[in-house]
C-alpha cells in the first residue's frame, strides 16, 4: 500500500503540472485572438520586457505603436518584428520617440500617438528607472529623475490619452509596476516611492473611470530579469520542465511578464502580483505583523557604498 502511494504521488504531480501547462498555453492563444485589430501603445518598447510585449501583441494581430527613447533601437525592433511575423495577419508597427524624463515633450508625443490610428484601445505603461544606494547618497536631482520616469511621465501620457478613451467609452490602461509599489525595501527609497505613487494613482483612477467603460490594470512582478537582445520568434521546443523551473526561479523573465500582460488585457484583470512565496509572505507580514517585518528588514541592512543606476 505504501509503495503504491509512493508511485502514484509523482504521477499525479506530473499530470497536474501538464494540465496547468496546457491551460496556460491555451489561454495565451485565446488572448492573442482577443487583441486582434486593437490599437496598443507600448512604452519603453526597446527594453527587455517591452520587446517581448511588442512581439506577443504584434504577433496577435494588434496595431502596435512602439515608443522608446532611441530611434535607432526602435528601428531595429521594427525590423525584427516584421521579419518574424506573417504580414498577412499582422500590422506594420508605428514608431514614436518618447522619453518620460522629458515631461514637457509628452503632450506633443500624445498627439502623435493619437494621429497614428485616431484612437488608442490599450496603453501599456512600462518604462522604469532604478537606483540602489543609501538614501544620503542619492541626490535630489536623482530623486526627481526617477519620479519623472516612473511617475510623472506615465501619468502625463495617461492623462493625455484619457479624454479620447472617455469620449469613446472604451479603453484599457495597464501599468507594469513592481512589488516595491506595495512593499518598500532598504536602498530603494526613490524607486519604491515612485512605484508607490504610480500604484496609488492607478488605484484611484480605476474607480474614477469605471463608469466610462475603461478598465485599469496593474501588474507587479518581484523584478524583471533584463537582457539586451532583440526578440526571436517563439518556438515549440520549450519543455514543460523549463516552464516550471522558471516559475520557481528568483525573478521573472520578460517573456513571462509579456504573456501575463496579454492575459491581463484579455481578461481585464484589475491587479496581478507576480511573486514567489517569500515576497508574497512578506506582503502579508508587512500588513499584519509590521513590527516583525521592520525588525527583520533592519537586521539585514548593510552599507552600500555606491550608487547604481539601472534602466529597463
Amino acid at each position: 500500500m505504501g509503495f503504491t502511494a509512493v508511485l502514484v504521488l509523482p504521477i499525479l504531480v506530473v499530470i497536474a503540472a501538464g494540465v496547468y501547462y496546457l491551460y496556460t498555453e491555451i489561454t495565451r492563444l485565446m488572448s492573442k485572438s482577443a487583441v486582434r485589430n486593437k490599437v496598443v501603445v507600448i512604452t519603453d518598447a526597446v527594453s527587455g520586457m517591452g520587446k517581448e510585449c511588442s512581439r506577443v501583441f504584434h504577433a496577435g494581430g494588434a496595431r502596435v505603436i512602439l515608443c522608446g527613447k532611441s530611434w535607432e533601437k526602435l528601428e531595429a525592433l521594427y525590423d525584427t518584428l516584421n521579419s518574424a511575423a506573417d504580414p498577412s495577419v499582422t500590422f506594420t508597427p508605428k514608431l514614436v520617440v518618447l522619453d518620460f524624463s522629458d515631461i514637457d515633450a509628452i503632450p506633443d508625443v500624445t498627439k502623435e500617438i493619437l494621429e497614428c490610428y485616431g484612437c488608442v484601445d490599450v496603453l501599456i505603461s512600462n518604462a522604469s528607472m532604478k537606483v540602489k544606494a543609501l538614501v544620503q547618497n542619492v541626490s535630489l536631482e536623482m530623486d526627481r529623475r526617477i519620479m519623472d520616469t516612473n511617475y510623472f511621465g506615465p501619468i502625463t501620457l495617461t492623462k493625455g490619452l484619457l479624454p479620447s478613451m472617455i469620449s469613446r467609452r472604451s479603453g484599457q490602461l495597464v501599468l507594469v509596476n513592481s512589488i516595491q509599489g506595495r512593499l518598500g525595501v532598504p536602498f530603494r527609497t526613490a524607486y519604491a516611492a515612485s512605484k508607490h505613487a504610480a500604484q496609488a494613482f492607478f488605484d484611484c483612477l480605476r474607480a474614477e473611470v469605471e463608469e466610462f467603460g475603461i478598465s485599469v490594470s496593474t501588474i507587479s512582478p518581484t523584478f524583471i530579469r533584463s537582457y539586451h537582445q532583440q526578440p526571436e520568434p517563439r518556438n515549440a521546443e520549450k519543455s514543460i520542465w523549463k516552464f516550471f523551473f522558471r516559475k520557481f526561479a528568483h525573478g521573472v523573465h520578460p517573456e513571462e511578464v509579456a504573456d501575463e500582460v496579454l492575459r491581463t488585457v484579455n481578461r481585464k484583470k484589475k491587479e496581478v502580483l507576480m511573486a514567489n512565496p517569500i515576497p508574497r509572505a512578506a506582503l502579508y507580514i508587512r500588513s499584519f505583523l509590521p513590527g516583525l517585518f521592520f525588525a527583520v528588514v533592519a537586521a539585514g541592512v548593510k552599507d552600500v557604498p555606491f550608487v547604481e543606476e539601472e534602466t529597463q
Side-chain angles (χ1 to χ4, degrees), residues 209-228:
V209 300
E210 185 175 0
E211 64 175 304
F212 302 110
I214 300 169
S215 60
V216 177
S217 307
T218 59
I219 301 173
S220 302
T222 46
F223 74 87
I224 302 173
R225 283 181 266 162
S226 61
Y227 62 86
H228 306 285

Side-chain angles (χ1 to χ4, degrees), residues 219-271:
I219 301 173
S220 302
T222 46
F223 74 87
I224 302 173
R225 283 181 266 162
S226 61
Y227 62 86
H228 306 285
Q229 302 169 337
Q230 294 293 344
E232 299 174 357
R234 286 183 180 272
N235 56 64
E237 62 200 27
K238 295 172 185 172
S239 71
I240 188 172
W241 306 114
K242 288 183 180 179
F243 175 83
F244 279 95
F245 176 79
R246 282 213 314 270
K247 285 293 180 185
F248 291 101
H250 188 48
V252 186
H253 193 275
E255 184 179 310
E256 276 188 279
V257 183
D259 285 340
E260 183 54 55
V261 172
L262 188 64
R263 284 192 293 270
T264 298
V265 169
N266 180 41
R267 301 179 188 177
K268 299 188 184 301
K269 292 189 284 187
K270 292 180 172 59
E271 189 170 55

Side-chain angles (χ1 to χ4, degrees), residues 59-209:
R63 293 179 284 180
V64 294
I65 302 173
L66 309 179
C67 304
K69 292 189 291 186
S70 169
W71 181 257
E72 291 74 18
K73 290 182 179 179
L74 284 172
E75 285 186 319
L77 178 59
Y78 174 95
D79 292 339
T80 301
L81 292 175
N82 281 337
S83 64
D86 181 353
S88 65
V89 295
T90 59
F91 293 89
T92 302
K94 305 283 188 179
L95 306 181
V96 175
V97 175
L98 169 63
D99 183 355
F100 273 147
S101 64
D102 187 2
I103 302 297
D104 293 337
I106 294 179
D108 290 334
V109 174
T110 303
K111 292 179 183 177
E112 184 179 352
I113 289 172
L114 287 171
E115 287 171 357
C116 288
Y117 290 105
C119 67
V120 170
D121 295 305
V122 182
L123 169 62
I124 301 172
S125 297
N126 165 53
S128 182
M129 181 179 180
K130 301 176 184 176
V131 63
K132 180 180 180 181
L134 290 165
V135 64
Q136 60 266 34
N137 292 342
V138 181
S139 66
L140 283 175
E141 180 184 356
M142 179 62 71
D143 285 327
R144 292 189 183 98
R145 285 179 58 194
I146 291 173
M147 286 299 294
D148 281 347
T149 301
N150 296 355
Y151 176 69
F152 286 110
I155 73 164
T156 302
L157 180 60
T158 298
K159 287 186 173 185
L161 296 175
L162 198 56
S164 173
M165 290 185 175
I166 290 176
S167 66
R168 297 173 64 234
R169 303 189 73 85
S170 174
Q172 185 166 9
L173 303 167
V174 180
L175 172 69
V176 181
N177 206 34
S178 167
I179 193 174
Q180 291 188 55
R182 301 170 61 185
L183 183 73
V185 296
F187 314 123
R188 298 284 190 177
T189 50
Y191 178 73
S194 67
K195 293 300 183 179
H196 270 73
Q199 179 77 39
F201 177 88
F202 278 82
D203 282 351
C204 295
L205 182 64
R206 181 183 294 113
E208 293 184 24
V209 300

Side-chain angles (χ1 to χ4, degrees), residues 42-61:
I42 303 172
T43 65
D44 197 15
V46 296
S47 67
M49 207 287 286
K51 291 174 185 176
E52 293 293 346
C53 271
S54 302
R55 182 174 65 183
V56 297
F57 280 90
H58 180 251

